[in-house]
Amino acid sequence: MGVCLGSQLLAHVLSAKVYPGAAKEIGWHDVALTPAGEDDTLWSGAPARFPAFHWHGDVFDLPRSAVSLARSDMTPCQAFRYGINAYGILFHLEVTQPQVQTMTEVFADEVAQVGTTADRILADTGAPLTSLTEIGRGVFDAWARMAAG
């Protein structure tokens, strides 16, 4: 499983194009599961649409023979599965409130570039983070069970 940079690396290894997106996607933005995502073992307990935490500028095309699992308004390929157990997820399911706060402080220049503020991102973090943590737990638990055989 590759998350964020890991998903970009997995896409690259699978010969997909990785390139700068039209704009950086930073902060809380909705992700929508594709029909395949809704049926996928890892995502079966997740809602069809949910707010997720994003922090990326580079995006990728769907690797050949991979299955698209999620998208956002800005990024057509937010998650994919290759084969039966290789997954790429561009957004973050694993963040905590302290991590979000640290990211907004350390990368304040990127926050400003996308026309928002650290205060806005942190104010938006409450309820979505609780929901995202539950979704992440389900996805990561399902992947761990799958990887364990």
Side-chain angles (χ1 to χ4, degrees):
M1 178 178 290
V3 176
C4 197
L5 175 60
S7 68
Q8 296 164 354
L9 293 171
L10 181 58
H12 173 75
V13 166
L14 295 171
S15 300
K17 182 180 174 187
V18 180
Y19 53 94
K24 290 185 178 187
E25 193 169 17
I26 294 175
W28 293 95
H29 304 283
D30 280 357
V31 167
L33 295 178
T34 65
E38 291 181 41
D39 291 338
D40 186 79
T41 302
L42 266 60
W43 297 96
S44 63
R49 188 173 185 88
F50 56 91
F53 191 71
H54 301 263
W55 204 292
H56 60 267
D58 290 341
V59 297
F60 46 80
D61 292 337
L62 181 67
R64 188 178 346 173
S65 300
V67 176
S68 175
L69 301 175
R71 62 179 294 116
S72 70
D73 290 342
M74 288 180 65
T75 307
C77 191
Q78 282 282 353
F80 68 90
R81 181 187 68 241
Y82 182 81
I84 60 170
N85 61 0
Y87 285 82
I89 304 170
L90 189 56
F91 55 93
H92 293 274
L93 290 164
E94 79 290 355
V95 294
T96 63
Q97 195 280 337
Q99 289 171 328
V100 172
Q101 183 168 348
T102 298
M103 291 171 77
T104 62
E105 292 168 358
V106 172
F107 303 109
D109 58 328
E110 290 186 57
V111 172
Q113 286 174 9
V114 299
T116 192
T117 66
D119 288 342
R120 170 75 352 229
I121 291 172
L122 292 170
D124 291 345
T125 296
L129 182 59
T130 301
S131 170
L132 189 67
T133 299
E134 291 179 29
I135 295 166
R137 186 173 294 118
V139 168
F140 294 134
D141 286 352
W143 186 79
R145 283 192 303 276
M146 182 186 302

